[in-house]
Amino acid sequence: MLLLATLAWSFVGVLVKTGATMVDSAIITFARFFFGVVFLGLYLYIRNGKINVRLGLKWIWIGAIGKALNYIFENIAIHIGYSYGNILVQPVQTVVLLLAAALLFKDKITKRSWVAAVLCIIGVIIVGWNGVPLHELLNGGGITTILFILAGIGAAVHVLSQRMLIQTMDNGNMNVSIFIISTCLVTLPIPFQSEGFVGPVTVWAWGALLLLGLITGFSFLWSAEAIKRVPFTIVALAGNCTVLFTILWSYLFFNDPITIYVLAGTFVFVAGLLLLNIPMPRLKARLNS
């Protein structure tokens, strides 16, 4: 399950790019949620004989809005940029969650965590810069980075909603409820802004949309179940391997240029993510001393 979740998330950029050969980003966003609800709903019904959908909870709506924004901005950015660009979502999400823990939940944030957050920010800046001259960034060259940052904020809001709901709902019914609302939210603007089918209808593009829905429906379940059974250190390592696989698939499938800036920035924010997630008792003692 841990391997499935890691590989599934790493293929998102490639699948979005493939789907974009047939439909625009608005339809891709809709398909990710719609097929996700179908796959996850069928699984829950087969497993439990029923689906416990709860749409009246505040945090269900907050999570749905956050996840909808996450997919909207992520799909647009991947469509106009490189398929590995969504590697920026995870470090942004991490920094936002740290700030939320400090400001909203009054959690004590260690020096080690703040160092990890700084590394994540530096890594995102390096990848977003990618050696582009400053005047090009100011003239719109950095738009994809801004979109991925917004996507990371949306993803963090979804994670926060899960934290608030996990005590009263199981992971499956919680996410199917969130994804149903998200599906409705991203469907509303389609008649007014979507260009619909923008390219040839292909089996590969349809397959990509279905797989994106499958990933939406099941990846969070796989990850949640893995956390219960596998040491958290291994979960953290596997989660960060997603970034490396994403870059690999981007190069192999689309020959996207992997510059020294992308590699260096990735190394920096992965170091931050590892510092945050992997227990290091001696280092922790030094930083807190």
Side-chain angles (χ1 to χ4, degrees), residues 19-275:
T21 62
M22 183 177 71
V23 294
D24 66 9
S25 59
I27 300 298
I28 294 174
T29 302
F30 167 78
R32 291 180 72 174
F33 284 122
F34 177 77
F35 291 128
V37 169
V38 171
F39 286 126
L40 182 56
L42 285 173
Y43 169 75
L44 292 174
Y45 185 78
I46 292 172
R47 187 187 70 177
N48 303 328
K50 62 178 181 178
I51 305 173
N52 184 21
V53 176
R54 300 177 65 182
L55 304 180
L57 300 178
K58 177 182 69 174
W59 279 100
I60 290 289
W61 281 87
I62 293 174
I65 293 171
K67 199 61 185 172
L69 294 175
N70 170 207
Y71 279 6
I72 289 171
F73 292 126
E74 181 179 73
N75 292 335
I76 294 173
I78 292 175
H79 181 69
I80 64 178
Y82 296 122
S83 59
Y84 62 74
N86 62 329
I87 62 174
L88 297 179
V89 172
Q90 186 178 2
V92 172
Q93 172 185 300
T94 299
V95 173
V96 173
L97 289 174
L98 273 177
L99 293 174
L103 299 176
L104 298 180
F105 303 107
K106 308 302 180 183
D107 291 348
K108 182 180 179 181
I109 309 300
T110 64
K111 294 179 182 178
R112 172 183 166 182
S113 297
W114 288 121
V115 171
V118 170
L119 289 175
C120 286
I121 293 171
I122 293 173
V124 168
I125 291 173
I126 294 174
V127 173
W129 168 43
N130 200 16
V132 175
L134 181 59
H135 69 274
E136 290 187 22
L137 288 175
L138 296 176
N139 289 330
I143 185 64
T144 55
T145 300
I146 295 173
L147 290 171
F148 282 125
I149 289 174
L150 294 174
I153 294 172
V157 172
H158 175 233
V159 173
L160 283 174
S161 73
Q162 290 182 309
R163 172 174 174 173
M164 301 301 295
L165 294 166
I166 197 63
Q167 301 299 325
T168 57
M169 297 183 69
D170 68 278
N171 193 274
N173 285 297
M174 173 175 61
N175 277 315
V176 79
S177 300
I178 288 174
F179 296 154
I180 287 173
I181 296 176
S182 295
T183 304
C184 296
L185 292 176
V186 301
T187 302
L188 292 174
I190 286 180
F192 307 101
Q193 69 174 45
S194 176
E195 298 177 6
F197 285 82
V198 295
V201 177
T202 64
V203 173
W204 295 110
W206 275 113
L209 296 180
L210 289 171
L211 285 174
L212 285 168
L214 186 70
I215 291 170
T216 296
F218 286 103
S219 60
F220 297 101
L221 282 181
W222 292 332
S223 178
E225 291 300 318
I227 289 174
K228 297 177 184 177
R229 296 168 170 79
V230 180
F232 191 73
T233 301
I234 305 302
V235 175
L237 286 171
N240 287 292
C241 284
T242 299
V243 173
L244 305 179
F245 280 124
T246 298
I247 294 175
L248 176 62
W249 307 145
S250 178
Y251 178 75
L252 292 178
F253 285 95
F254 295 105
N255 199 29
D256 286 342
I258 311 300
T259 67
I260 188 65
Y261 300 98
V262 172
L263 294 177
T266 300
F267 175 81
V268 172
F269 74 65
V270 166
L273 294 172
L274 290 175
L275 179 64

Side-chain angles (χ1 to χ4, degrees), residues 7-23:
L7 290 176
W9 286 326
S10 72
F11 273 108
V12 166
V14 169
L15 294 173
V16 169
K17 275 289 190 186
T18 303
T21 62
M22 183 177 71
V23 294

